[in-house]
Amino acid sequence: MLSEFDLIKQYFVQDYAGDSRFALGIGDDCALLNPSPGMQLAISTDALVSGRHFFADAEPIGLGHKCLAVNLSDLAAMGAKPLAFTLALSLPEANPDWLAGFSQGLLSLANLHQCRLIGGDTTKGPLNICISIFGELPPGSALRRDAAQVGDDIWISGSLGDARLALASYWKEMTLTDEEHSQAASRMHRPTPRIALGIALRGIANAALDISDGLVGDLGHILDRSHVGANLDVDSLPAGPVLKKQTQEKRREFTLNGGDDYELCFTAPSHQRQAVIAAGLASQTAVTRVGIIEAELGLRLRDTNAEAINMALTSFDHFTTP
Amino acid sequence: MLSEFDLIKQYFVQDYAGDSRFALGIGDDCALLNPSPGMQLAISTDALVSGRHFFADAEPIGLGHKCLAVNLSDLAAMGAKPLAFTLALSLPEANPDWLAGFSQGLLSLANLHQCRLIGGDTTKGPLNICISIFGELPPGSALRRDAAQVGDDIWISGSLGDARLALASYWKEMTLTDEEHSQAASRMHRPTPRIALGIALRGIANAALDISDGLVGDLGHILDRSHVGANLDVDSLPAGPVLKKQTQEKRREFTLNGGDDYELCFTAPSHQRQAVIAAGLASQTAVTRVGIIEAELGLRLRDTNAEAINMALTSFDHFTTP
């Protein structure tokens, strides 16, 4: 049986010699970080729990990717550049195959974003993966949830709903072909954090967040904190390639309520439309305009003919859903 | 049933208006922190798991205290001043009594050290408490594990072994009076992070760490990373008030191997003895000189007559102990 310290050494040490921002990494009581002068730090923490955020038998490479991706997505939603992260891993057993796969998925994505693993903790216990992530951004440039303005356009990056569609397929609520299932499942297991888009939107977008629990619930956080309302053009919501083939009812339901896509929802003044489109092109990320921020509180759903749509909508909540 | 967001709002929001270091706290995708100009950040992450780090029925106020204390202790061991922390809480259920107690224990200690809760995440799942903590210190002043020098004195803060004694009592390995048990148990459940001492030792001590898994194993990390050995005067180790009353054999065993006391073990040049004693007085923390760093690798245990002691010693490891 591997000891706790062997584990850390064997699987989770990155080489970042020569990068003066990191004065000390794994192996001491704390990691030491030299923040870039004049920059603000963005910090986020997310825990992923077996059976809740992922299946107990989830493939470890994908799981490693996803755990870091959801944290990177929080940096993207603030417009922050990734810097470093810590990992607290609770594991039922020290299985070398699992650890090799998990660290490969985790560190591949970390290296892609030059995000350094600077500290960690491993414990025996039910599988729980807790990551804290650190990014940098110039003071005043953060894309906050409380900054939406009346008249702002509402935008969505990429596409929505395929992750939820994969879940429906796993749950046998819906039947997909193998190829469709595999395509949708890759959206669920391998979300793409929109880091480049988030950074490109600094100074252009007002408010932003990443959609983890579904657009309706998450956009609701922007509306609540900004004390505004919104009008959404439901049929303009960008459905994922597999969801596009489904009925209008499913498209509406899953683009509005499907979680786990980790796309950005952001608002920007209408005079910034060209700048938003340019930011999308520069970051090679599709951006779609889907609605408008209004003074009247609440969320109004409209179809392409601007007719009101009434749908029962609930946001995903870890403590109120089964 | 409370929703996830109600939970966070109700129990875990501190007021830190007016502190310009915190540009944005709980409720956005990330917290925003303005590091003090020219300071280095110390970062540590620890997860506490039910049944492993604490009993499943642990009293919530004490548990809240302990979870933050062990993280503050990591800052103390670097000589860093506490700044902020994040909390990822996985809970089987949203029990208001438990949450009220836990947050009281957690935030009381946080407020004592002016350490701000800046972000969090709650999930339904087996009880797991993951804290990442952030502190500040001047560059070059960190008390690292790899900085012990041959000839350094070895020092211990406070006293050792009472936390291990409490465990022995819980496990019925030993019998204590109710008063003794209660005194020892308070050391186990309410460790005191040695923040003031750690800061006072900047520029005086060379190497330091906090003792969580037992002195022998933890001092071993300093020896390994500093490429040195040590000679410990075992009978000079400061035993806790309850442990003092036990046999010499138990005193030796529990001061050397007992974990969970969260005292500092540090090394300092012999010409700094008066400065170390002054740092102890200034921080109102007992400091005891217990040995010396030597060039010869390995750890040598001596009794008061400088005779070698042979003991079977093992450090606590989460994956190799039952």
Side-chain angles (χ1 to χ4, degrees):
Chain A
M1 189 80 171
L2 288 169
S3 89
E4 178 175 5
F5 295 98
D6 291 338
L7 278 184
I8 297 172
K9 283 185 191 155
Q10 190 168 339
Y11 295 106
F12 293 106
V13 176
Q14 279 174 313
D15 177 22
Y16 42 90
D19 190 331
S20 64
R21 296 174 302 174
F22 306 103
L24 186 65
I26 288 176
D28 215 307
D29 297 288
C30 295
L32 296 176
L33 197 68
N34 295 312
S36 306
M39 295 291 264
Q40 208 165 47
L41 270 183
I43 299 174
S44 182
T45 294
D46 272 302
L48 276 80
V49 176
S50 177
R52 177 82 13 195
H53 298 97
F54 54 87
F55 301 126
D57 61 351
E59 179 262 320
I61 298 182
L63 187 57
H65 173 100
K66 182 161 181 175
C67 289
L68 188 62
V70 304
N71 279 279
L72 284 166
S73 182
D74 283 321
L75 293 183
M78 294 303 276
K81 185 174 187 299
L83 185 60
F85 69 107
T86 62
L87 169 69
L89 196 53
S90 171
L91 287 173
E93 57 168 358
N95 177 325
D97 288 343
W98 191 93
L99 282 162
F102 180 80
S103 67
Q104 184 191 327
L106 184 87
L107 296 183
S108 299
L109 184 63
N111 291 336
L112 187 67
H113 291 283
Q114 296 177 283
C115 191
R116 305 301 191 170
L117 177 58
I118 56 168
D121 181 34
T122 54
T123 312
K124 187 166 182 171
L127 185 55
N128 182 306
I129 303 155
C130 179
I131 289 179
S132 291
I133 198 160
F134 316 104
E136 287 190 327
L137 71 172
S141 71
L143 309 175
R144 301 167 57 136
R145 295 182 175 191
D146 61 2
Q149 299 291 323
V150 172
D152 276 4
D153 295 323
I154 301 170
W155 298 79
I156 302 288
S157 70
S159 66
L160 298 174
D162 271 6
R164 176 65 183 84
L165 192 61
L167 202 60
S169 170
Y170 280 116
W171 285 346
K172 316 275 187 210
E173 287 174 5
M174 293 179 65
T175 307
L176 300 179
T177 66
D178 287 353
E179 195 189 321
E180 287 170 343
H181 175 85
S182 150
Q183 198 179 349
S186 84
R187 279 288 286 173
M188 180 181 172
H189 298 306
R190 302 261 187 152
T192 304
R194 301 301 189 185
I195 293 288
L197 177 63
I199 294 171
L201 288 172
R202 289 179 192 164
I204 296 169
N206 282 328
L209 48 57
D210 67 324
I211 303 169
S212 53
D213 295 340
L215 174 60
V216 166
D218 286 326
L219 176 58
H221 298 310
I222 288 183
L223 303 185
D224 286 348
R225 294 178 67 92
S226 300
H227 310 292
V228 293
N231 204 321
L232 268 191
D233 177 0
V234 173
D235 296 322
S236 73
L237 290 170
V242 190
L243 181 57
K244 263 186 190 158
K245 302 181 203 166
Q246 308 298 321
T247 62
Q248 183 188 59
E249 186 195 350
K250 282 291 166 206
R251 286 204 313 274
R252 286 181 174 177
E253 183 188 341
F254 289 179
T255 51
L256 284 168
N257 269 344
D260 256 4
D261 289 303
Y262 294 93
E263 295 293 354
L264 299 187
C265 170
F266 58 97
T267 81
S270 57
H271 68 81
Q272 294 280 24
R273 277 180 199 171
Q274 286 311 311
V276 170
I277 291 164
L281 288 171
S283 60
Q284 297 184 290
T285 311
V287 289
T288 307
R289 192 156 51 85
V290 299
I292 192 158
I293 296 292
E294 299 175 333
E296 186 190 345
L297 299 184
L299 177 62
R300 289 159 291 284
L301 306 180
R302 309 281 176 183
D303 65 16
T304 36
N305 302 317
E307 298 286 334
I309 301 174
N310 282 310
M311 290 176 64
L313 294 171
T314 50
S315 171
F316 183 77
D317 184 292
H318 291 297
F319 283 103
T320 55
T321 46
Chain B
M1 189 79 172
L2 288 167
S3 88
E4 177 176 7
F5 295 98
D6 291 338
L7 279 183
I8 297 172
K9 282 185 191 155
Q10 191 168 338
Y11 295 106
F12 293 105
V13 176
Q14 279 173 312
D15 177 21
Y16 42 89
D19 190 332
S20 64
R21 296 175 302 175
F22 307 103
L24 186 64
I26 288 176
D28 215 306
D29 297 288
C30 295
L32 296 177
L33 197 67
N34 295 312
S36 305
M39 296 290 264
Q40 208 165 48
L41 270 183
I43 299 174
S44 182
T45 294
D46 272 302
L48 276 80
V49 176
S50 178
R52 176 80 16 192
H53 298 97
F54 55 86
F55 301 125
D57 61 351
E59 179 262 322
I61 298 181
L63 187 58
H65 173 100
K66 183 162 182 175
C67 290
L68 188 63
V70 305
N71 280 279
L72 284 165
S73 183
D74 283 321
L75 293 183
M78 295 303 276
K81 186 174 186 299
L83 185 61
F85 70 107
T86 61
L87 169 70
L89 196 54
S90 172
L91 286 174
E93 56 169 358
N95 177 324
D97 289 343
W98 190 93
L99 282 163
F102 180 80
S103 67
Q104 184 190 328
L106 185 87
L107 296 183
S108 298
L109 185 63
N111 290 336
L112 188 68
H113 291 283
Q114 295 176 282
C115 190
R116 306 301 192 171
L117 178 58
I118 56 168
D121 182 33
T122 54
T123 312
K124 188 167 182 171
L127 185 55
N128 181 305
I129 303 155
C130 179
I131 288 179
S132 291
I133 198 160
F134 316 104
E136 287 189 328
L137 71 174
S141 70
L143 309 176
R144 300 166 59 135
R145 296 182 174 190
D146 61 3
Q149 299 292 322
V150 173
D152 276 3
D153 295 322
I154 301 170
W155 298 80
I156 302 288
S157 70
S159 66
L160 297 174
D162 271 4
R164 177 66 182 83
L165 190 61
L167 202 58
S169 170
Y170 280 116
W171 284 347
K172 315 277 186 208
E173 288 174 5
M174 294 179 64
T175 307
L176 300 178
T177 66
D178 286 355
E179 195 189 321
E180 287 170 343
H181 175 85
S182 151
Q183 198 178 348
S186 84
R187 279 287 285 174
M188 179 180 171
H189 298 307
R190 301 263 187 150
T192 304
R194 302 300 189 185
I195 293 289
L197 177 63
I199 294 171
L201 288 172
R202 288 179 192 164
I204 297 169
N206 282 328
L209 50 56
D210 67 325
I211 304 169
S212 54
D213 295 340
L215 174 59
V216 166
D218 286 327
L219 176 57
H221 298 310
I222 289 183
L223 304 185
D224 285 348
R225 294 177 68 91
S226 300
H227 310 293
V228 293
N231 203 321
L232 268 191
D233 177 1
V234 173
D235 296 322
S236 74
L237 290 171
V242 191
L243 181 58
K244 264 186 188 158
K245 302 182 202 166
Q246 309 298 322
T247 62
Q248 184 188 57
E249 186 195 349
K250 282 291 166 207
R251 286 205 311 275
R252 287 180 172 177
E253 182 187 342
F254 288 179
T255 51
L256 284 168
N257 268 345
D260 256 4
D261 289 303
Y262 294 94
E263 295 292 354
L264 298 188
C265 171
F266 57 98
T267 82
S270 57
H271 69 81
Q272 294 280 23
R273 278 181 198 171
Q274 287 310 313
V276 169
I277 290 165
L281 288 171
S283 60
Q284 298 184 289
T285 310
V287 288
T288 307
R289 192 156 50 85
V290 300
I292 192 159
I293 297 292
E294 299 175 332
E296 186 190 346
L297 299 185
L299 177 61
R300 288 158 292 284
L301 306 180
R302 309 281 176 183
D303 66 15
T304 37
N305 302 316
E307 299 286 333
I309 301 173
N310 283 311
M311 291 177 63
L313 295 172
T314 50
S315 171
F316 184 78
D317 185 293
H318 290 296
F319 282 104
T320 54
T321 46

